[in-house]
């Protein structure tokens, strides 16, 4: 166990979700998700339950129906709780909001079963498939469609109808021309280390961290390698330098209101009505973009 693991402590928390009156926090360094039965209103509040561990004093990575290894992104939609279990190279799904210690997941994607956890199902990097993953980082669902930022494969996977079988292959891929290619790319249809997803059922937004930008699809993609419609953080789809306000393909000395720095694949997005919030991690700030 990690020293000082307890219901009140965390080790590298990454994502938060408020759903069904409960607060969920991915505590990546402790290989768990903390659950608070009510929204905390005091400093240092203790979690009430945990996913990924049998109790709130354990922090052991594992690959089972109830164990986790470095969980990152979480989302809830249409009655389904979805988690990117990144170091197990899989996505787990609970049919409903889990609220008890060590609750078993109902479905696994990226692997054929709950006890496997290898990159691309044990295949080399160049042999990805529509049913494999490499370090998934973020998830989004409306209960019907499911979208996964498959960061290590430089792509986004889309299920147009929610999967019902373990290891079910995705229907579409963004960022790559097909399901076997994993090369980082730019342009309007390329991705490099995508790290977060936001959506409203119509638009799809992807934080393309390795390219220091956020891509926007104004209509939900319906075919492989669909080109994005708009871009934030750059003025042209072929430009990818961090904090490049003058767009000379070189990083400037300081950021501006229209630049981003997603070095290492760290940009975060949240859509709130017509407002898009972007966590500009390397620039130590959060930006707000107001839509029409």
């Amino acid at each position: 166990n990690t020293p000082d693991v307890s219901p009140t402590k965390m080790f590298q928390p990454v994502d938060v979700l408020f759903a069904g009156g409960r607060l969920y926090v991915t505590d990546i360094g402790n290989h768990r998700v903390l659950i608070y039965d009510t929204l905390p209103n005091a400093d240092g509040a203790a979690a009430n339950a945990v996913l990924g561990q049998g109790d709130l004093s354990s922090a052991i990575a594992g690959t089972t129906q109830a164990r986790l290894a470095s969980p990152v992104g979480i989302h809830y939609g249409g009655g389904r709780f979805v988690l990117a279990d990144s170091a197990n190279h899989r996505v787990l799904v609970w049919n409903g909001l889990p609220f008890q210690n060590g609750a078993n997941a109902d479905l696994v994607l990226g692997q054929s079963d709950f006890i496997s956890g290898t990159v691309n199902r044990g295949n080399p990097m160049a042999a990805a498939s529509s049913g494999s993953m490499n370090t998934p980082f973020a998830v989004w669902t409306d209960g019907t469609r499911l979208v996964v930022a498959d960061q290590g494969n430089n792509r986004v996977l889309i299920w147009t109808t929610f999967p019902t079988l373990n290891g079910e292959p995705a229907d579409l891929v963004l960022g790559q021309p097909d399901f076997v290619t994993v090369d980082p790319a730019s342009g309007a249809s390329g991705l490099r280390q995508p790290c977060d997803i936001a959506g409203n059922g119509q638009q799809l937004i992807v934080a393309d961290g390795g390219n220091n930008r956020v891509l926007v699809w104004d209509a939900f993609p319906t075919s492989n390698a669909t080109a994005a419609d708009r871009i934030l953080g750059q003025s042209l789809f072929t430009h990818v330098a961090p904090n490049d306000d003058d767009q000379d393909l070189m990083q400037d000395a300081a950021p501006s209101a229209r630049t981003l720095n997603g070095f290492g694949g760290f940009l975060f997005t949240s859509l709130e009505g017509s407002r898009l919030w972007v966590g500009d991690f390397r620039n130590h700030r959060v930006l707000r973009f107001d839509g029409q």
Side-chain angles (χ1 to χ4, degrees):
N1 292 359
T2 302
D4 299 325
V5 177
S6 78
T8 62
K9 295 186 178 181
M10 303 178 192
F11 180 28
Q12 296 175 325
V14 177
D15 202 3
V16 295
L17 170 71
F18 186 67
R22 292 184 174 91
L23 178 69
Y24 295 80
V25 180
T26 54
D27 186 17
I28 182 172
N30 284 325
H31 311 292
R32 64 184 187 175
V33 177
L34 296 175
I35 304 172
Y36 299 81
D37 286 345
T38 58
L39 194 64
N41 57 13
D43 293 344
N48 300 104
V50 63
L51 298 179
Q53 307 293 331
D55 56 56
L56 284 157
S57 60
S58 300
I60 304 169
T63 311
T64 70
Q65 197 170 355
R67 291 285 189 182
L68 303 173
S70 301
V72 185
I74 46 176
H75 198 261
Y76 179 71
R80 293 181 167 100
F81 180 90
V82 187
L83 169 69
D85 189 19
S86 65
N88 278 325
H89 312 288
R90 65 184 187 176
V91 165
L92 297 177
V93 179
W94 285 259
N95 295 327
L97 284 169
F99 57 88
Q100 296 178 332
N101 287 348
N104 285 337
D106 297 295
L107 182 75
V108 61
L109 301 171
Q111 306 290 343
S112 59
D113 54 51
F114 287 106
I115 59 173
S116 301
T118 55
V119 173
N120 289 329
R121 296 197 186 187
N123 293 322
M125 284 287 290
S129 72
S130 57
S132 73
M133 299 179 190
N134 180 359
T135 320
F137 216 76
V139 291
W140 178 89
T141 185
D142 58 4
T144 300
R145 294 166 292 192
L146 172 65
V147 186
V148 175
D150 188 15
Q151 186 178 74
N153 283 327
N154 301 297
R155 65 185 187 177
V156 166
L157 299 174
I158 299 176
W159 286 258
T160 54
T161 57
F162 204 94
T164 57
L165 300 175
N166 288 343
E168 189 169 325
D171 300 300
L172 303 172
V173 63
L174 301 179
Q176 303 293 344
D178 51 52
F179 286 109
V180 298
T181 307
V182 297
D183 300 325
S186 58
S189 58
L191 293 170
R192 184 186 184 97
Q193 296 180 306
C195 45
D196 207 4
I197 302 165
N200 56 16
Q202 175 67 25
Q203 293 175 302
L204 179 67
I205 298 166
V206 175
D208 187 19
N211 283 326
N212 305 292
R213 64 187 189 174
V214 171
L215 298 179
V216 180
W217 285 262
D218 286 327
F220 213 90
T222 57
S223 60
N224 289 347
T226 299
D229 297 295
R230 288 181 285 136
I231 187 173
L232 301 174
Q234 310 287 346
S235 63
L236 297 173
F237 286 108
T238 53
H239 289 198
V240 298
N243 292 336
D244 182 16
D245 187 78
D246 56 12
Q247 291 289 276
D248 64 353
L249 305 179
M250 299 290 290
Q251 183 172 355
D252 298 338
S256 73
R258 56 187 178 184
T259 67
L260 297 169
N261 185 351
F263 178 77
F266 287 97
L267 285 175
F268 303 95
T269 57
S270 179
L271 193 58
E272 178 192 29
S274 61
R275 287 178 172 174
L276 176 66
W277 299 85
V278 178
D280 191 11
F281 183 80
R282 298 294 179 182
N283 283 327
H284 311 291
R285 63 184 187 175
V286 174
L287 301 177
R288 191 188 82 193
F289 297 86
D290 292 340
Q292 300 299 318

